[in-house]
């Protein structure tokens, strides 16, 4: 998340702003699937908020799981109901031209020839040869909100396979141009949850939604508020210039 956050920063996370979560802690610690309820917060999540969340792929990028002790910090790029694009390295929401994420990092991506990137950095979710999405040209990726219904075709199978399997706790497969949920053919799907798109400020080197896809709302812990301590990892010196700095 450089430059917003630097190695050695310790942050305060405000859970009240978006609402604290309630769930059975013992089940979560045992790795079981838990039902999470969110208490109403002071305001909703906004684009460009810096959020702490449970990384949704602690074991494999092929499956969404919650690891209670594995947290990520990224910036919210897209909200439920948004369509996220990347054009020439820059984030876009529909036809909006708002500045989203770290503009300097996106400029570096836009000015770097594709052949200068490592393939594991350049290629992006869902890693499909026909879509050919990458960190310079990506999307549109629609971010489902609760109650949205989509037609299930090959493209939507690729984009939403992991979230549908997570919601249904069932296998989604594609054979002979037909999508099957638990071996039963389906032609449409109605989402049960809200999903977000997260981006790291260190654009060329960030494990974010460009690579692993959508973040379920209930995995979001809170909004990063301030840096309460910052220790230089190379000198062990306290960085007073970052003490109580607001994270934006």
């Amino acid at each position: 998340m450089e430059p917003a956050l630097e190695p050695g920063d310790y942050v305060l996370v405000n859970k009240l702003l978006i609402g604290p979560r309630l769930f059975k802690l013992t089940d979560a610690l045992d790795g079981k699937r838990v039902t999470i309820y969110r208490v109403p917060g002071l305001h909703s999540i906004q684009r460009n908020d810096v959020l702490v969340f449970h990384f949704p792929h602690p074991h494999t990028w092929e499956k969404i799981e919650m690891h209670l002790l594995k947290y990520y910090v990224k910036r919210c790029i897209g909200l439920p109901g948004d369509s996220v694009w990347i054009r020439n390295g820059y984030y876009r929401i529909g036809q909006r031209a708002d500045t989203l994420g770290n503009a300097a990092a996106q400029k570096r991506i836009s000015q770097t020839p594709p052949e200068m990137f490592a393939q594991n950095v350049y290629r992006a979710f869902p890693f499909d040869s026909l879509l050919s999405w990458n960190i310079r040209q990506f999307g549109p990726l629609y971010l489902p909100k609760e109650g949205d219904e989509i037609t299930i075709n090959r493209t939507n199978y690729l984009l939403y396979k992991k979230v549908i399997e997570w919601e249904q706790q069932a296998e989604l497969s594609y054979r002979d141009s037909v999508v099957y949920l638990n071996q039963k053919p389906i032609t449409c799907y109605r989402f049960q949850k809200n999903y977000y798109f997260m981006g790291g400020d260190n654009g060329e080197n960030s494990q974010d939604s460009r690579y692993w896809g959508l973040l379920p709302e209930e995995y979001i812990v809170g909004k990063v508020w301030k840096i309460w301590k910052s220790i230089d990892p190379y000198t062990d010196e306290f960085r007073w210039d970052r003490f109580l700095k607001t994270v934006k």
Side-chain angles (χ1 to χ4, degrees), residues 91-185:
Y91 289 118
R92 294 287 182 263
I93 301 294
Q95 301 303 312
R96 302 167 65 100
D98 301 347
T99 300
L100 295 167
N102 182 4
Q106 294 169 62
K107 183 178 180 180
R108 288 195 299 270
I109 292 173
S110 73
Q111 294 176 344
T112 303
E115 62 270 17
M116 297 301 293
F117 293 100
Q119 280 300 301
N120 63 336
V121 172
Y122 187 66
R123 296 178 65 238
F125 174 84
F127 302 99
D128 176 66
S129 58
L130 295 182
L131 292 179
S132 297
W133 290 4
N134 56 69
I135 62 173
R136 291 185 51 159
Q137 306 293 336
F138 181 102
L141 174 60
Y142 180 73
L143 310 183
K145 60 181 184 292
E146 182 182 354
D148 280 347
E149 186 172 300
I150 60 167
T151 300
I152 297 294
N153 50 31
R154 180 184 182 276
T155 297
N156 285 341
Y157 164 78
L158 293 169
L159 298 181
Y160 303 112
K161 177 180 186 292
K162 292 189 292 187
V163 298
I164 292 174
E165 289 184 331
W166 175 72
E167 287 190 355
Q168 296 295 321
Q169 292 294 287
E171 179 186 3
L172 196 72
S173 58
Y174 181 83
R175 300 191 304 274
D176 301 324
S177 300
V178 178
V179 177
Y180 296 87
L181 181 61
N182 257 7
Q183 306 304 318
K184 296 181 180 180

Side-chain angles (χ1 to χ4, degrees), residues 1-70:
M1 274 295 294
E2 296 180 81
L5 295 173
E6 296 182 3
D9 285 345
Y10 294 79
V11 298
L12 294 171
V13 179
N14 192 327
K15 299 181 181 180
L16 295 177
L17 288 177
I18 62 173
R21 301 171 305 158
L22 302 174
F23 58 91
K24 194 171 182 180
L25 183 60
T26 53
D27 283 353
L29 287 171
D30 289 339
K32 299 177 182 178
R33 176 73 182 268
V34 294
T35 301
I36 298 176
Y37 302 95
R38 190 179 296 277
V39 177
L42 300 177
H43 67 71
S44 59
I45 295 169
Q46 304 295 313
R47 299 183 193 93
N48 277 330
D49 282 351
V50 179
L51 304 175
V52 172
F53 56 92
H54 299 290
F55 182 50
H57 301 287
H59 302 113
T60 171
W61 284 12
E62 303 304 315
K63 181 180 180 181
I64 295 176
E65 301 172 277
M66 189 176 83
H67 192 302
L68 195 62
L69 302 178
K70 190 165 187 177

Side-chain angles (χ1 to χ4, degrees), residues 169-226:
Q169 292 294 287
E171 179 186 3
L172 196 72
S173 58
Y174 181 83
R175 300 191 304 274
D176 301 324
S177 300
V178 178
V179 177
Y180 296 87
L181 181 61
N182 257 7
Q183 306 304 318
K184 296 181 180 180
I186 61 171
T187 57
C188 60
Y189 184 77
R190 186 181 300 275
F191 291 96
Q192 301 173 1
K193 306 288 183 180
N194 294 319
Y195 296 91
Y196 294 75
F197 190 100
M198 309 301 295
D201 282 3
N202 191 3
E204 305 99 311
N205 187 25
S206 179
Q207 288 190 12
D208 53 35
S209 288
R210 295 171 302 169
Y211 298 103
W212 42 257
L214 305 176
L215 175 69
E217 183 174 76
E218 57 195 81
Y219 281 25
I220 298 174
V221 177
K223 180 179 178 180
V224 175
W225 180 36
K226 289 181 181 291

